[in-house]
Amino acid sequence: MIETTLSVQSDSPIGTISPRLYGHFAEHLGRCCYDGLWVGKSNSEIPHYDGFRADVVDALKKLPVPMLRWPGGCYADHYHWRDGIGPQEKRSIRLGMSCGLQVEDENSLGTHEFINLCQMLGAEPYLAGNVGSGSVQELCDWVEYCNSTVQTTLARERAANGSPQPFSVRLWGVGNENWGCGGNYDAETYAKEYRRYATMLRHVDPSAELVACGQEDEWNIQFLETNRRHLDLMDHLSIHRYWIQGGPEIEFSETQYYTLLHEAHATEDFVRRTADFIHQHLGSQRHRIGVALDEWGVWHPEARTWGPDNENHRTPITYEQAGTLRDALAAAIALEGFHRQCHVLTMANLAQIVNVLHAPVMTDGAAMWVTPTYHALQLHTPHIGATALPVEIVHSATLPGQTSAVTATASMQADKLAVTLINRHFDQPASVQLTTPTVTDLENAVLLTAEQSNAVNSSNHPNHVSPAKMAVHADGTGCWRVELPPHAIATIQFR
Ligand code: AHR
């Protein structure tokens, strides 16, 4: 049994945990958008709301989904928004391309449908623009079509297509991974291209928040350096982080278990480093540029043709993978880091929302189930919009990778304190003493765990891994004791 003492610090709040840190990502890739979200208005026997699967929408509403990025990913740099507006029967059938897949893309899920989905989910839309095969004018037109309040031809066209009210989309990505699939730019060339796009986009909608494409440290520094006199043209710098070192999706070893959790843990450092570079370049300027981790999650070797351990990848690649409890723990570890960096991290989008990669929701024909990661995210709901508080690890055991075996994140909202604990240990339970300031009553406590860290849900066993109530014992004033099984996540709420 691991003995741990944790202490929530209320006198040094970190910042607000923006709902944008709980964003999601829907790409036209594999069965994410088509099939997973969109089944169409006319041809489907699956119950739907305006073409979107009712079971999936209902599950996502409960998650919740405060922000949704669309339509890619690599798909974005091939996407021409005009293909996806107007009467369904007149929409172009295009070659749908992302990550090496080529499909018939009928464009039935376009801008209006996506905005409708966001409205159903209560999600803020985040549109990724096409730099790779598009033009400045094309992206300017999309912004005008979506947001203009002036009765231009494009705004009238939007009204004729059913939306007299502007969509008021604030977040616009200027390309995606333009160092790779989005055009194989070098940092300096993209930086100059970005400058041109951003200048023109700001003329169309001065209130648009623009997201520039970043990569690893070297690219980010060069990009910022090239645009050092124009930093006011960007609001967020996008970085992506996929965890790929953890071995097989299900049959992983103890070492691989810890490797994945450690990769997830290290995401925070990447965010912090990127924020530091931004800070160094901004100097004393008042303008703020946030870090946008607009794709994150685990990418197992079975679902990719590149990277380590992929000899046994599925053929063809569908970008679908099993989502175990280990993946849920990795997500929770990343969220801990997001909370600690919430003063510099301005958005984060789990990749992807349904069926593809680190998906919280899976479908198979008429069946729908949620993964352990769905439950892990839901356990974090009380933190959304709350003030993040530091948690001191007074005493705990250390794991391979030198992280504490038990860690926690805490936040305060109105008169409520929420603490999410993670026991990262592969097979040891933990006894946790938790001290909480200004707390009087325990409200509830929920635990997510399973016999094995490689446990999954499936269409046959949709509730195999699901949350359950757990006991918390008072242990003196503002002091509590909790027993955590190995590989477990728990959220405790106090009033
Ligand atoms: O999420 C899958 C792909 O991963 C995206 O299309 C791309 O942005 C990233 O490389």
Side-chain angles (χ1 to χ4, degrees), residues 25 27 29 73-75 98-99 176-177 181 240 242 295 299 351-352 357:
F25 170 39
E27 179 168 16
L29 176 64
C74 293
Y75 179 88
S98 183
C99 305
N176 170 78
E177 295 192 354
C181 63
H240 294 171
Y242 289 101
E295 290 182 28
W299 194 331
Q352 300 192 2
L357 299 181

Side-chain angles (χ1 to χ4, degrees), residues 121-266:
L121 296 177
E124 177 181 14
Y126 167 18
L127 294 175
N130 181 346
V131 169
S133 69
S135 68
V136 178
Q137 188 60 55
E138 183 183 14
L139 190 47
C140 284
D141 285 351
W142 200 11
V143 175
E144 183 181 325
Y145 181 87
C146 289
N147 289 356
S148 187
T149 47
V150 181
Q151 286 308 301
T152 63
T153 300
L154 282 167
R156 286 165 203 251
E157 192 177 1
R158 182 191 66 231
N161 286 331
S163 299
Q165 291 303 318
F167 297 139
S168 306
V169 177
R170 292 274 68 81
L171 286 164
W172 292 88
V174 181
N176 170 78
E177 295 192 354
N178 301 91
W179 42 266
C181 63
N184 277 313
Y185 286 85
D186 57 66
E188 199 183 323
T189 314
Y190 171 76
K192 290 178 180 163
E193 189 83 321
Y194 175 85
R195 198 188 300 167
R196 194 164 71 100
Y197 268 80
T199 304
M200 299 306 150
L201 290 168
R202 278 277 166 75
H203 295 165
V204 179
D205 184 349
S207 67
E209 285 182 47
L210 301 179
V211 186
C213 163
Q215 193 204 23
E216 300 293 325
D217 300 355
E218 198 187 328
W219 166 289
N220 296 341
I221 293 168
Q222 232 182 321
F223 172 81
L224 290 163
E225 193 52 37
T226 309
N227 274 338
R228 66 191 175 284
R229 289 189 218 293
H230 303 279
L231 295 174
D232 57 322
L233 285 176
M234 88 193 68
D235 301 290
H236 310 265
L237 181 63
S238 148
I239 53 173
H240 294 171
R241 186 53 96 226
Y242 289 101
W243 312 314
I244 58 171
Q245 306 286 350
E249 57 188 7
I250 293 181
E251 299 304 327
F252 50 83
S253 65
E254 180 174 341
T255 304
Q256 288 167 326
Y257 165 92
Y258 283 124
T259 304
L260 181 73
L261 298 198
H262 190 62
E263 254 190 305
H265 186 84

Side-chain angles (χ1 to χ4, degrees), residues 7-11 389 412 417 435-440 478:
S7 170
V8 177
Q9 316 286 300
S10 63
D11 47 4
L389 302 176
M412 194 86 188
L417 173 73
T435 58
T436 53
T438 66
V439 167
T440 48

